[in-house]
Structures are given as structure tokens and as C-alpha cells.
Amino acid sequence: MEKKTLFDKIWDAHVIKKVEGGPNVLYIDRHYIHEVTSPVAFSGLKNRGLKVFRPSQTTAAPDHNVPTLHQGRPITDVQSKTQVEQLEKNCKESGITHYGLGTEEHGIIHIIGPQLGLTQPGMTIVCGDSHTSTHGALGSIAFGIGTSEVEMVLASQCIMQAKPKKMRISIDGNLSNGVTAKDVVLYVIAQISTSGGTGHFVEFAGSTIRQMSMDGRMTVCNMSIECGARGGMIAPDETTFEYIKGRKFAPKGEDWNKSVAKWKTLHTDEDAEFDKEYHFKAEDIEPMITFGTNPGMGVGISQDIPMGDNLQGSDKTSFIKALDYMNFKPGEKMEGKKIDYVFLGSCTNGRIEDFIMFAKMIEGKKKAENVTVWLVPGSKGVEKQIKAEGLDKIFEEAGIPLREPGCSACLAMNDDKIPAGKYSVSTSNRNFQGRQGPGSRTLLASPLTAAAAAITGVVTDPRKLL
Amino acid sequence: MSYDKFSKIISPAVPLPLENVDTDQIIPARYLKAIERKGFGENLFHDWRYDKNNKPVKDFVLNNKKYSGKILVGGKNFGSGSSREHAAWALYDYGFRVVVSSFFADIFKGNSLNNGLLPVVVSPEFLQKIFDKIEKNPETKFEVDIEKQKFTILSTGESTTFEINNYKKHCLENGLDDIDYLINMKKSIEQFENK
């Protein structure tokens, strides 16, 4: 029998047709939408006189634009308000489930999908958002699409895509104390660069991944897009099943047993071939921090900013431009650099485990006076867990109020903008120029490193505070 | 999305010799708040094109009168990051019909093809050649022949071929998009669902 990878098994089972000299017509099981990349798709559909083909397979939540304070009040930014309202209107007209502001299910779409049990192993999942890759952590093929493709899914529950190449990234061994899933993925991106995965779909494997919780696995798959990959995925196992069991939309009763039996077949066959393979050792990974303007420009926190001597041509120009923007110099130490903001949240690190890590580090301490800290849960569900575990009290005592869920300062489409020239230690996924607000300077790091910086006011190795 | 049929293009080109130009640079997130697809060209490369006071940044290529044309030439890994199709819309709305690089990010490439914006991949050496030609003479004209899949530097006649799958080529040449194709497949889709 043909040896197949996990990716092959799911992809091939969803191909309706292979277009001669072109892409595959791929059936989509689950479609997530948010307010920014869907309105033009809905109006496109309307202009063609089409209806949503399978409304029950699409789920919506406004997340990019929403305020993270006073969500009960009307949104003051007129354009944001319009987008949020338009999403609700489009969903109502089409019979799509919409988890709006004020509902207990509301949150970042990539947080609530798994949380509600909507994301399941073996599914094909798309959303007009590159971090759709998050859902791959549960053993699904999940990837970001453009608005034209959102319209395709609304119209036909299918998209047209060429089958990507396959890559496996294996990480083995035990992570040392203070090193988290975020550090693992930042390390991988720094090793293979922001374009190392382009054209490929990644399977993460190895004992380090197996030992990770679902929250950690989601962090890893979330950032697979930052190495250029179409997405990342992890074979489902007991950790996955345990996570899904009992969730709102998880299969129940006899269906559950049948589903688990099917999910257990979702793994890469021995001897199946990948187009590219990488192997990394957990013990080589230390807490990571970025110094530049793309997620591949990261170093171990005890290391210096590279000199860039080996770079040439446009590589060199881009390196210099990045350091100029950050106002850093080659060879400088990252530790000890003064920072102004800390952001915990986003679809990368907005889950309960991230808040637990942050809380453990900051418990009994105060935030540094020079630092503004934004703690933004990924969903109402996460917020509820935070409160149930009393973490909000720990944050309060540290001088940090808890905000309400949304994408927030990850891309600063709402009011949560880092001012020009200021430094932010951020648990989000992108340190692009102006990503967190015009002129903002982002240092990507784990929740532990973010907590350490919140306490000291400077870039700090979290291992020193453990 | 409707766009003009793609035919042969002869035009000078605008050079942007930077790597990893991400879609947050092509169009920053705060300009994604429209609910209609229009006017995104105004904010194309906004934070490189305008300063804090919204004054044009003199030395940025789009503000430099030396450069013009329907072709944008960028460094490798062009269009990385966010999946926002607004990046392709902004480039198209501004007037670009072709983007040339040695390497495109996957989602951006797909979005471009769905919107009548042709991504042309050339070798790193040929890309450098294009940059050199423009630097020497910004009025250098290039020809993009989709039918022959050929990119030519007209002043010297040097050319290179580029890849595009037959299906997408057919779509671009005829101004068609995937939805036209998919809605004709409804029966097969329903059959698949009932399997």
C-alpha cells in the first residue's frame, strides 16, 4: 500500500477534482470568518445573486477590531463599528452562527474554534486569516486564505488550491525550565528563516511536541505561517482526544467512540516521504526574543544581536533597515534593554496556559513602573477560566487590570496601539514595522519572558526569576 | 472579483529592492476597515510612502517621479505575513498589473492571481539584472507576455520565461475567477458530500 503522510491522508480525502494543468478542488469542512476579510466576500456573493451554500459549516466572530475595554458600550471608532455590525448582519441574513460581543462564546476566532470543539482532527479548515494554521494542532489541515477564497467557500464550500509540498520538523528531547512552546517555534523560524517553509505544509513531530499540551501545540502551529509554510499540523493523540472530549460541539456518545477510532488512523505512515525534513534538539533551545522586523530575526535571550557580517546585497540592506527601525546595533546584548509595553494575548498566546505561566511568574510581585502591561484573554471562555482560578487577583495585586477578549495589540486595529518609538515585549506573532501601531517596535517572546520584562522593565531572562 | 482581462504589457517598472516585504507594509492593518473593495491604492505602502504628518516621503519609490509603470519589482519573499487580500487589491488599485520577484509568499501569490495581478518569478540573477537596468535608466521598458510566459528587458532583448499553471493562465487571459468554475461543479460537490 502507498505510504502516506498525515497531510496526504486528510488532503486526498477532500479532493473532489483535480483540474487538468491546475489546482485541486478541495472540499472544506469548517470555515471561520471574522469582520475584516469577509464583508467583500459577502457583497461579491450578493452581486452574483448567490446564497451561502452551507451556512452550518461557517462560524463567525468579530475579533480584529473590537475594543478590549468596555465591550458593553457602543464601539466609538465608526469604521470598526461598521465592520463589526456588517458581520453580524451578513451572518443573520445567511443563517451563519455568529458569536458577537457580549456572548459567552465570543473571542478570537482561532481561540474559540478549538475551545468550542468545532475544530476536530481530520478536518479541512480555512479562514481569511493567516493564523488559521493554529487549528492544525488538533490534527486538521488548516490554513489562511484570501477574501476571494472566502467567497468561494461561501458559494461552494470548496476552494481551488494546488497541493503543497510536505515538510516534517521534528523536535526531540526535554525542554529546560523556562523554555516554552513559543520559544520552540521562534527557534525553528530563526533556524529556517521566514521563507524556509514556503510552498510546504509542515508536520511537527518528535518527543518534544508529543509532550506538549494542546495550548502549547496551538502556539507552535499558529506560528508555522511565520516560516512561510501554508500551515502546520500535529498528529492527534490522547492529549488531543482528552482536550476535545466534552466540548460543546465535540461528538457525543457512540459518535465519540467512532470519531476517536477514525482519528487514531490519522498519523504519518512509517517510511512515508517528505519533500523536506528538519531535526532539532530541545536542549539547544533557550528562551527566545526577536531583535528585528520579521519573526525569523530572533536569538536566544542570552545571546547578542548578530553582526550581519556574512550578509550581502539586499539581505544586508534589509538587515540594516530592520536594526535602524528598532534603533539597535549589531553585536548589542538583548538582555537589559529598556522596554515600555508588555502584551500578553493574541491567537498565539491568549489561552489559559499562557495566563497561568504569566501569573506564576508575577505572583507576589509588582509590575515595573515604567511599563504598561496589557493582558488580553483570547476569549470569554479564557477570561472565565482566569477568574475561576483567581489569576485576575494576582494580576490586580501586581498592578495590572485584565482586559476583555480580542486581537488587540497584535495588529492594533482597535485602540490598543503601541506608540511610535516605544518598545513592546509581545507574546503575539509578528514584529513587522508598525504592526503594533505606527512606529512601534516589537520584541516577540514567550509569556514567561513577557512576565519577566513586566516585572523588571527591561528585557530579562525569565530563567533568572524562576 | 472582477478584473480586466490580462494581455501583453509593455511598461517601465518601479524598483523596491527590499526583502521580506510583508503585507503589513503593503497595506497597514488600520487601512483594512472598509467593507467595500475600493480605494485601497491610496494607502498602498502607506507608512513608507508618508511620514508621521502624512507628507510624502521624498525618497520612497512611489513618490519619486523617476519611476512609473504597471510593473513593481521587489526583493525575495515578497508578500509574506498576513493573508489580507487587500494587499493585492491595493497594488492593483494603484495601477500595478505585474509584480516581479525571485520568490513570493504563498498566500499573496494566490491572492494576486485571483485579482488579475500577475506574480512573475525570475531567478535571483535575473532579478538583479532588472534592478541594475532600472537604476541605470528608470525609463527602461519591460514586456510581460503572458501567452508566451516570457519577461523581456526590451532595451537589450534579454528575456526569461516564467511559470504559471494553465488553468490560472486561462482565467487571467479571460478575466475569469474560480467561483465561475466552482458553481458549475455543484453536482459533484453534492455527490461528494453524500459519499
Side-chain angles (χ1 to χ4, degrees):
Chain A
M1 219 172 72
E2 191 197 348
K3 305 284 183 198
K4 284 188 163 193
T5 67
L6 167 64
F7 178 78
D8 290 327
K9 287 180 184 176
I10 303 174
W11 181 279
D12 296 350
H14 287 81
V15 173
I16 299 185
K17 184 180 174 183
K18 290 179 180 165
V19 180
E20 182 105 9
N24 294 171
V25 176
L26 191 74
Y27 189 80
I28 300 302
D29 295 316
R30 183 75 64 210
H31 183 208
Y32 294 120
I33 56 173
H34 61 79
E35 78 278 25
V36 179
T37 57
S38 69
V40 173
F42 277 105
S43 55
L45 208 63
K46 219 176 242 178
N47 291 341
R48 290 172 203 254
L50 296 173
K51 284 210 159 83
V52 176
F53 182 58
R54 293 287 178 252
S56 65
Q57 282 165 253
T58 296
T59 305
D63 53 11
H64 282 59
N65 266 301
V66 301
T68 57
L69 290 175
H70 315 300
Q71 285 187 347
R73 296 184 199 165
I75 301 175
T76 48
D77 179 310
V78 179
Q79 283 183 302
S80 295
K81 188 167 180 272
T82 309
Q83 270 194 338
V84 168
E85 288 174 351
Q86 189 65 41
L87 178 70
E88 187 171 8
K89 187 165 169 271
N90 287 334
C91 289
K92 216 171 184 178
E93 284 172 6
S94 316
I96 291 169
T97 303
H98 170 262
Y99 295 120
L101 281 176
T103 64
E104 64 176 51
E105 294 92 348
H106 176 255
I108 302 173
I109 194 79
H110 304 314
I111 303 267
I112 67 174
Q115 201 168 41
L116 294 172
L118 286 165
T119 296
Q120 294 169 17
M123 283 181 165
T124 47
I125 300 174
V126 294
C127 173
D129 190 289
S130 58
H131 293 109
T132 309
S133 55
T134 314
H135 307 270
L138 288 93
S140 62
I141 292 182
F143 55 91
I145 56 175
T147 298
S148 296
E149 291 165 309
V150 172
E151 190 180 337
M152 286 175 216
V153 181
L154 292 175
S156 69
Q157 207 56 37
C158 289
I159 57 168
M160 302 185 73
Q161 285 271 326
K163 189 176 179 180
K165 290 187 210 161
K166 291 159 289 179
M167 178 186 285
R168 180 161 58 188
I169 300 177
S170 305
I171 305 134
D172 282 291
N174 298 320
L175 293 172
S176 35
N177 206 11
V179 181
T180 71
K182 180 65 166 289
D183 302 303
V184 170
V185 71
L186 283 173
Y187 176 84
V188 168
I189 302 163
Q191 295 294 313
I192 75 172
S193 91
T194 51
S195 56
T198 305
H200 294 75
F201 211 99
V202 176
E203 179 180 344
F204 291 99
S207 63
T208 313
I209 299 289
R210 287 279 142 243
Q211 286 164 32
M212 271 182 198
S213 66
M214 280 318 299
D215 282 8
R217 292 180 190 185
M218 284 190 254
T219 299
V220 171
C221 289
N222 171 277
M223 285 195 72
S224 55
I225 177 74
E226 309 309 337
C227 67
R230 283 306 263 126
M233 67 196 307
I234 294 170
D237 59 10
E238 288 304 325
T239 306
T240 322
F241 309 147
E242 201 47 49
Y243 175 92
I244 298 170
K245 200 172 183 178
R247 290 185 185 268
K248 191 169 177 180
F249 295 101
K252 307 263 162 32
E254 192 42 37
D255 272 355
W256 171 257
N257 296 331
K258 271 193 212 155
S259 299
V260 172
K262 206 170 108 197
W263 294 343
K264 282 185 173 165
T265 66
L266 298 173
H267 53 80
T268 292
D269 296 331
E270 222 170 294
D271 300 328
E273 281 191 24
F274 288 86
D275 297 286
K276 208 161 189 180
E277 289 229 44
Y278 286 101
H279 295 272
F280 299 110
K281 287 191 205 131
E283 68 227 38
D284 292 342
I285 307 174
E286 61 169 329
M288 296 286 296
I289 192 145
T290 63
F291 58 86
T293 55
N294 73 53
M297 300 178 87
V299 288
I301 197 157
S302 67
Q303 293 163 34
D304 302 336
I305 296 172
M307 298 303 293
D309 289 342
N310 51 343
L311 302 173
Q312 285 175 339
S314 59
D315 279 315
K316 183 100 187 176
T317 319
S318 303
F319 179 78
I320 294 170
K321 195 169 182 277
L323 288 193
D324 263 2
Y325 181 85
M326 296 300 291
N327 199 23
F328 290 160
K329 292 193 176 58
E332 281 181 342
K333 262 200 164 338
M334 283 307 291
E335 264 190 281
K337 282 200 176 295
K338 199 174 150 287
I339 61 123
D340 310 287
Y341 284 78
V342 166
F343 171 54
L344 175 68
S346 82
C347 56
T348 310
N349 280 126
R351 283 166 287 268
I352 187 64
E353 202 177 275
D354 304 312
F355 284 83
I356 293 173
M357 275 193 266
F358 196 99
K360 274 194 179 152
M361 175 75 86
I362 209 156
E363 187 165 17
K365 301 188 178 81
K366 293 262 181 244
K367 75 160 188 77
E369 273 188 20
N370 63 310
V371 180
T372 303
V373 185
W374 289 335
L375 302 179
V376 185
S379 69
K380 277 294 188 197
V382 173
E383 185 188 302
K384 202 170 147 189
Q385 281 174 289
I386 289 171
K387 289 181 175 164
E389 301 200 22
L391 305 182
D392 54 329
K393 298 279 172 323
I394 298 175
F395 299 142
E396 224 166 83
E397 279 161 27
I400 316 165
L402 190 65
R403 299 170 83 99
E404 292 171 283
C407 297
S408 181
C410 174
L411 84 170
M413 276 191 82
N414 67 353
D415 290 338
D416 307 344
K417 291 176 172 53
I418 309 293
K422 299 291 183 192
Y423 291 95
S424 147
V425 173
S426 179
T427 64
S428 53
N429 40 58
R430 289 185 175 138
N431 50 349
F432 297 152
Q433 288 186 28
R435 171 82 179 180
Q436 296 195 285
S440 61
R441 293 165 171 156
T442 304
L443 312 174
L444 297 177
S446 77
L448 282 180
T449 305
I455 296 164
T456 60
V458 295
V459 173
T460 302
D461 187 337
R463 291 171 297 188
K464 292 178 179 167
L465 299 184
L466 283 172
Chain B
M1 307 294 157
S2 60
Y3 54 83
D4 297 337
K5 287 181 189 178
F6 197 100
S7 49
K8 197 186 275 181
I9 281 174
I10 295 173
S11 164
V14 178
L16 193 63
L18 287 172
E19 293 182 356
N20 306 314
V21 172
D22 58 77
T23 53
D24 270 84
Q25 307 317 313
I26 299 174
I27 184 153
R30 59 189 191 281
Y31 300 112
L32 308 183
K33 294 191 183 188
I35 55 167
E36 284 174 276
R37 187 198 152 179
K38 60 179 187 195
F40 290 107
E42 277 170 40
N43 294 315
L44 176 67
F45 291 116
H46 186 280
D47 293 353
W48 286 352
R49 199 165 145 197
Y50 303 102
D51 67 13
K52 272 183 280 195
N53 307 314
N54 248 351
K55 294 257 156 58
V57 174
K58 260 195 198 145
D59 58 356
F60 185 62
V61 284
L62 295 191
N63 298 326
N64 190 332
K65 291 213 170 68
K66 269 201 314 201
Y67 304 116
S68 65
K70 296 178 178 177
I71 305 168
L72 179 69
V73 189
K76 77 173 176 210
N77 200 22
F78 190 90
S80 58
S82 159
S83 61
R84 61 190 70 163
E85 194 160 311
H86 311 67
W89 299 340
L91 287 161
Y92 187 92
D93 189 44
Y94 184 85
F96 290 116
R97 292 294 173 269
V98 179
V99 190
V100 183
S101 176
S102 56
F103 196 97
F104 288 97
D106 292 327
I107 304 181
F108 175 78
K109 196 171 169 184
N111 286 342
S112 300
L113 287 167
N114 283 336
N115 286 281
L117 180 70
L118 178 68
V120 170
V121 179
V122 300
S123 69
E125 296 73 31
F126 201 87
L127 186 70
Q128 195 51 51
K129 206 175 262 179
I130 299 172
F131 282 134
D132 292 345
K133 293 284 178 217
I134 304 174
E135 195 180 314
K136 247 193 221 153
N137 177 11
E139 283 162 31
T140 303
K141 283 194 176 151
F142 303 91
E143 181 184 271
V144 184
D145 187 333
I146 187 166
E147 209 255 306
K148 292 187 179 138
Q149 297 178 216
K150 206 165 128 190
F151 184 95
T152 310
I153 305 170
L154 285 178
S155 57
T156 60
E158 288 166 283
S159 71
T160 183
T161 53
F162 59 86
E163 289 289 320
I164 177 169
N165 74 53
N166 286 335
Y167 166 77
K168 273 292 161 201
K169 184 170 163 179
H170 172 79
C171 286
L172 279 171
E173 287 176 323
N174 295 286
L176 297 173
D177 67 18
D178 292 351
I179 296 183
D180 301 319
Y181 190 96
L182 288 171
I183 47 181
N184 284 322
M185 273 193 63
K186 213 154 238 182
K187 259 215 178 106
S188 325
I189 297 170
E190 278 164 350
Q191 273 169 7
F192 178 88
E193 286 178 321
N194 293 327
K195 245 195 328 201

